[in-house]
Structures are given as C-alpha cells and as structure tokens.
Amino acid sequence: MADSKLNLGALEKQVAYSGEGISVRSLEEDIAKERTTQNTKVEELKVLRERNVEIQSALAEEVGKLRKFSDYLDGTATTGGFWAGFKEIVSHIPGFRNIAISKRSIEELLKQQYQISSRRVKEAAEYVDTLKRSEQDLYKEIDRINGKIIEMAKNEAMAVDYVLELKGLVDAMEAEKQAAEAGSVAYRDLEAKQDKARALLAQHSGNLQLYSAAEDRYVSLKDNTRKLVETIRNLGQDIQLYTTAAAIKLDMASGQIQAIGTAADASVVMLELKRSLDVMTESMNATTQFVSDTQVFFRRNLDGLIKELETFDENTTKMLDANLAESRKIEDERIAAAIAKAQKHKAEHPSAEKSPAV
Amino acid sequence: MSELVALHTQALAEPLASMHLRLLGRALEAGRLNKGFPDRRALAGTLKALAGDAHHGLYEQVFVDSRTGLPNLASLTRVLADREVGVETLRALDDQAALDERRGEAEVFERLARKRRYYELLSTMELAPVDRHRVWLRRHEPGQSRASFRVELTKLSASGCYVHLVVELTQTASLWAQTLVSVDAAGEVAQGTEALRGIVYRFADFDAETLFIRLHELEGVSVERVQRGVIGPALWAIPVGGRLHHVAEPGDDALARTWSAWLPGAAGAAPHLVVGLASDTAANDVREESSNDPLMPLLADNLTEAERARYSILRARHPFRVYKDRKFVVTGSARPLVEGVCSAAGTRNLIYELTS
C-alpha cells in the first residue's frame, strides 16, 4: 500500500457549499417562499388593475361630462339649439334629472361635479406611487434572486469539481484493485475506500443536481419577476400619463366651470323671468278673451235683452192698468153705494131737511 | 413664474407661490374679520396647505384667480381632495419612520415620505370649502305655522372673491306659499329646500338688496336681514428674481385702475398688497341708508332718473335699508393709493397696514 499513487485526500475533504444546506425539501420551501412574494404582488396588481379600471372608467365619464360643458362653451356641442344642448348637458349632472330646472344652481352642481372629478383623479394618481413602490420592492426581490442564482451556480461548480474528483478517485481505485490480489488485505482496503468514495460521489452528485435545478428554477423565477416589474411599470406609467393629463385638464377648466355655471344660472334666472312673463301673458290673454267674449255676447244679445226688458214693462203696465181699472171700478161702486144710501135716507126723513130758524 | 394659463387662471411657481400665500394669510389675520365674513381660519388653513412647506414640493405651482389674487376653484379643490384621498392613503402607507429609512432607496420612497407628512398635516387642518350651505332654526311658532331661520352660505364666487352670505327670514306656512325651509318632526332641526338653496346660491354674487327683494317677494316669506361679507380682490405684486410679478387681470374699478397706473413706478424689494374686505347689508334695523364703500355706491345713486322713480316705488314696498362698507389691508407702500381712492369717493374707511 505504501507505493499507492492514489490521492485519498478527497475522501476527507470538507466541501463548504455557501448558504444553508440544500435538500429537495429546502429547495422547494425556498422557491415557494419566493413564489409567495411574487404571487402577493400579482394579487396586489390584480386588485390595483381592477380598481384602476373602475376609477379610470369613472374618471373618463366625469371628465367627459366636464368636456361637454367645455365644448358647449366653445359652441361645438349644441346642434339642437340652445335649450336642447343645455338640457342634454345638465342631464349628466347627478340628481339633476329629477329636479325642476329652476331649483338647483347649475354653478353649484358643476362645482360638485368638478370636485368629484378631482377626487377621482387623485385616487387614480395615488396608484402611481403604490405601483412604483411595488416596482421597487420587486427590483429588490430580483436582487435577492440574483444572489441566490450566483450562490447556486457557485455551489454547482463546487459540486461538479468534487464529483469529478471523486469519480477520478473511484476509477483509480478500480485500476489498482485490478492490480491487487483478489481477497488480499490491500484489495479489501481499496474496496472499503472505494465504497466510501462512491457514497460521497452519490451524495455530491445529488447536490450537483439540486444546485443545478435550483439555479434553473431561480432563473425562471427571476424572469417572471422581471415580467411582473415591467407590467407594473407600464401600468404605473399609463396611469401617470392619464392622471397627469386629467389633472391638467381640470386645473385649466376651473375658470371655465365657474364662468359657465354662472352663465347657466343667469340663463335660468332669465328662463324664470320668461316663465313669469308667459304666465302674465297667459293671464292677459285669458282676461282679454273674456272681455271680448262678453262684448260679443252683449252685442249679439243686447237687442233681445232690451226687448225682453220692454216686454216686461208692457206686461207690468197692462197689469197695473188692469189693476187700476179694477180699483177705479171698485171705488166707483163704493161711491155709487154711498150715494144711494144717502138718497134713501133723505126720502125717509124729509123734515130733517129743514133747518130751525136762528 | 406667474403666467396666465387659462381663463382667469394665473399659475404661481415657487418660491413666488409661497410668498404670495403667506402674505395673503397675514392680510386675513390683520383684517379682523367678523362673523359676517367667510371663516378666516378655514381660508388661512387652505392658504397654508397650498404653500410649499406644507406639501414639501409635491406640487410645482399654485393656481390663483388672475382677477382677485385668491386661490381659485382648482386650488381650493386640490387641498380638499388631497385631504379626502389622504385619509385612505395614510391607512395603506408605511409609518413615517419606515418611509424615512427607505428615502435613499428610490425616488418613490422619498416622495412617499413627503406625501405622508403632507397628508398627516392636512388631516389636522381646517380647510376652506368651495361652498357650504347651512340653515339654522331661530324660532319656531307651530301655533302660528311660523318659523324664523338663519341661512348661511359660503362660496367661492364666479368673480373669484370668497363670499359669506347670511339671510335671516321668517316663513309662514300657507296653502300658496312655496316651502323654503323644512323643520323636522321634533321642531328642532331646519333644512333648506332645493328652492331656497338655488335662489340663495344664484343670487349670492349680487348685492344684498337684490336677494332681499327676491326672497321677500315670495309668498309667506318675510326677510329681516341679508348680509354679505366678501374677501377680495387682493391686488398683489411681489419682486422675485429681478422681476415684479403681479396680479394679471386687476379689474376695472377705481382702485384697480389706480393700482395699474401706480404699479409700473412702484419700486423696492418688498411686496405690495391691497386686500379689500367688503360688507353689504340690507336689513330692517339699519338706521340710515348709506355706502361707505368707495368701490360700490348705493344702487339708487347709480340709476337714471326714470329708473330711480321705478326703483323708489319698488323700495317703498320693502322695509329694509342698505349699508355698504369696505375695509382694506395694505402694505405700507400701497397705503397712499387706497387713501387716495377713498378720499376721491368721499368715504372714510378702515385701513390696516401690514407690518413687515
């Protein structure tokens, strides 16, 4: 055994892989941990995307309403005349459809609409920072994964070297075994060392496969994370572009909103005045109609009425004449009766006619 | 740095914006505003929130009304919307220490740290509303179907000034009368109807007597007082970077004309400011009808002979008298200017001078 050229140091070599010891289970756990981080971000992204779609569509609607006012101001939105355009526009304002046109101030309603739109823009803009923060978190995650990849690559290389070294040793032992007498002490010693080398070879071949698989899986994880970062960055940029444009539009529109609100209110005051005048005109028309109808009635019926009045007078006169004739007749009869009575009395008492001499 | 960017909209960049806002805040404090004016603290809160040291550079500019120098609709709305959105955002954000710790990592963390500070500040502040409408029950006499109310409206008017309006009225219920205010079943809480809100809102920009007549002529309504308090316009000029930035569209009244004529010759490194604080009352208890406002004479003094006759018939139907007044807050440099305008109009006005 003294002339053996075998380098047996490999059997006692301490192979120091960096990081924690690897096993199929520990590798699965590590990958699962990284995936959880990624999944959390994907879930966050899903929520953000849904909320963003919600806000952006609401925002588009709100800003659209305000743009209608703006177009209206420019005179480009009213094809059906002033009031048609005006009614179409105010119908977009919340709560306006159900109330009479003169009840609420349009300036006030427009300002409310403006405030709702501004809040929507702010809400959407808040997501820009949230996404940027997620983006930064994921970049940090990529750094960490890169660290893992390098670590796995180094360990893999280390495992490769050691496995090759062990393989060489096993082969060399096999060659020496061929030269040794079968069943001799030297042969048995070589066999024992060869078994030990094979055991180490099996263990480190397993490590080699695990580190190689780990490296590949971390690379794949990194690619997905990078895609996620890009998605988040693109979404953030889209939202930023949109909200910046909307915010500028709102900032620039505030003067117009107030101006048109006041103008619309003035128009409503004019409309009220017009209504008031309409009611007055209606009253005047009704009164005039009444007077006119009455006049026509009299014109048509006056002769008849007068005739009726005359007929009445004639009848009364006749009645009065009849009554008078009747009264005279009765009176004459009474006088005649009295005269007859007096003549009879004289005839019965003739001496009473001579008066005594005085 | 002080460009006119849209209709009546002037954009002020830093540091001009903060200088102007601070100057306005000081003027409001010096103006000794009573309850007839918009709430000073709320407006001062908005001015403070708009300044650069409140938002820590999150915004590049502030929009003011180019006629009145006051924050416009966009600016008032900005801080109100930020406060509303901030409540939600603060819940989701990391704490201040954690954000501060990550400031060096990326621009977004540095920005979020500033944003958190801004939102925290806003959550503690009282801010000026774009408009606020409130109704208070003063007296309720169910036996007579009668109730007295105080209606208050604060609004950023279309003229760019900030207006507070108080109306005291009595309403008697009748079959024909339109209900302006409803009282709850307990007879304790009053709520203005849409009709009242609409009338008051629309007429808030007009003078007190117009609204008095409009409301008083409604069936069943008897108005006792209409009072308006108006903050603005604020004529301003601030030298920054070797250039004198100033109010872009100062209007066309006597003061604005005098200001425009005076400004090119105004020298010095100090800012110039004139803030008008007008009050206008139409009420039954005003002793004598007069105007001490050099920019707003009585309506009767502005009418032609024929119109005056008609106006006197209209006024004879109503029991109120009108009193108008205006006080000013000025920087020392602009004091002679305002004194000249008041003297020309024959009015004696309070002028508060801002000390540097």
Side-chain angles (χ1 to χ4, degrees), chain B residues 318-332:
Chain B
H318 301 288
F320 69 88
R321 275 189 283 272
V322 177
Y323 180 69
K324 293 173 193 278
D325 195 9
R326 190 181 295 254
K327 51 186 177 179
F328 297 92
V329 180
V330 298
T331 49

Side-chain angles (χ1 to χ4, degrees), chain A residues 308-320:
Chain A
E308 276 174 18
L309 279 172
E310 283 170 354
T311 307
F312 180 77
D313 284 347
E314 196 180 340
N315 287 340
T316 308
T317 308
K318 279 179 182 172
M319 186 185 74
L320 287 173

Side-chain angles (χ1 to χ4, degrees), chain A residues 102 104 108 111 126 129, chain B residues 115 119 156 194 197 202:
Chain A
S102 60
R104 296 283 300 270
E108 185 186 9
K111 281 188 194 165
E126 282 302 303
D129 283 341
Chain B
K115 190 184 263 189
Y119 285 164
L156 178 68
E194 297 289 2
R197 198 185 171 96
R202 272 185 221 127

Side-chain angles (χ1 to χ4, degrees), chain B residues 59-95:
Chain B
Y59 293 99
E60 288 173 0
Q61 53 194 5
V62 167
F63 298 108
V64 296
D65 192 294
S66 54
R67 299 160 297 173
T68 63
L70 298 177
N72 71 354
L73 176 62
S75 293
L76 289 192
T77 306
R78 180 175 104 185
V79 287
L80 290 167
D82 279 345
R83 185 170 61 179
E84 272 186 59
V85 172
V87 172
E88 286 299 315
T89 305
L90 281 175
R91 282 194 204 121
L93 275 181
D94 296 334
D95 64 34

